[in-house]
Amino acid sequence: MPRTRTVEIGRAECVRLLQYESFLGRVAFAIDGVVELRPVNYLADERGLVFCTTSGTVLGAVSSATPVVFEVDASQPMDHSGWSVIVRGTAKEITDPQELEYLRRGPLKSWAVSPGERWVRVSIEEISGVRIPVD
């Protein structure tokens, strides 16, 4: 079986993959010393990504200035290929009324909560990625 190699992806390609190639990722964060990992559907731009959550849930505990790691990926199992992008950033609840109105009317609809709930932005402080190319 041929050996698979990984290729690092540059920032611009990582941002493009985050923006256009997937809309479901995983956000990891710590609460009271326990690391949590939750799937979220999201939208991204050059500044960061946004997702919707609700109070009273584990993900709803993400508050102002919470450090998070976000991961999104895709794979082609038959080709043994794929890619992964990791974002390290800070999660902050969005409170600006105009931005909230825009987000609530926009294309992102949470799979789990109503669009009137809490909206969170994760900044892109670090972004990296790898690709496993088709041999």
Side-chain angles (χ1 to χ4, degrees):
M1 182 155 111
R3 189 174 149 123
T4 304
R5 60 183 171 81
T6 60
V7 177
E8 286 190 36
I9 302 170
R11 180 182 173 82
E13 179 66 1
C14 286
V15 171
R16 188 193 71 74
L17 291 168
L18 187 68
Q19 285 182 282
Y20 301 114
E21 297 298 326
S22 184
F23 302 99
L24 179 65
R26 289 156 293 285
V27 63
F29 52 96
I31 297 178
D32 298 326
V34 176
V35 176
E36 300 287 346
L37 179 68
R38 294 292 187 268
V40 294
N41 57 318
Y42 72 96
L43 287 178
D45 60 24
E46 304 254 340
R47 300 177 300 152
L49 58 106
V50 296
F51 62 88
C52 187
T53 186
T54 189
S55 299
T57 65
V58 171
L59 190 56
V62 172
S63 61
S64 183
T66 301
V68 300
V69 176
F70 182 83
E71 192 266 347
V72 62
D73 57 30
S75 65
Q76 299 296 323
M78 297 303 289
D79 292 335
H80 302 275
S81 65
W83 56 266
S84 173
V85 170
I86 295 175
V87 172
R88 294 182 193 285
T90 303
K92 294 183 180 176
E93 184 172 0
I94 298 169
T95 58
D96 177 68
Q98 288 180 323
E99 187 173 9
L100 287 170
E101 180 63 24
Y102 171 79
L103 288 168
R104 289 178 180 138
R105 289 192 334 227
L108 180 60
K109 304 298 182 213
S110 173
W111 295 0
V113 300
S114 80
E117 298 291 342
R118 294 180 58 224
W119 289 84
V120 176
R121 176 176 299 283
V122 175
S123 61
I124 298 176
E125 293 165 18
E126 295 177 34
I127 189 167
S128 61
V130 294
R131 182 180 303 280
I132 302 172
V134 176
D135 284 333

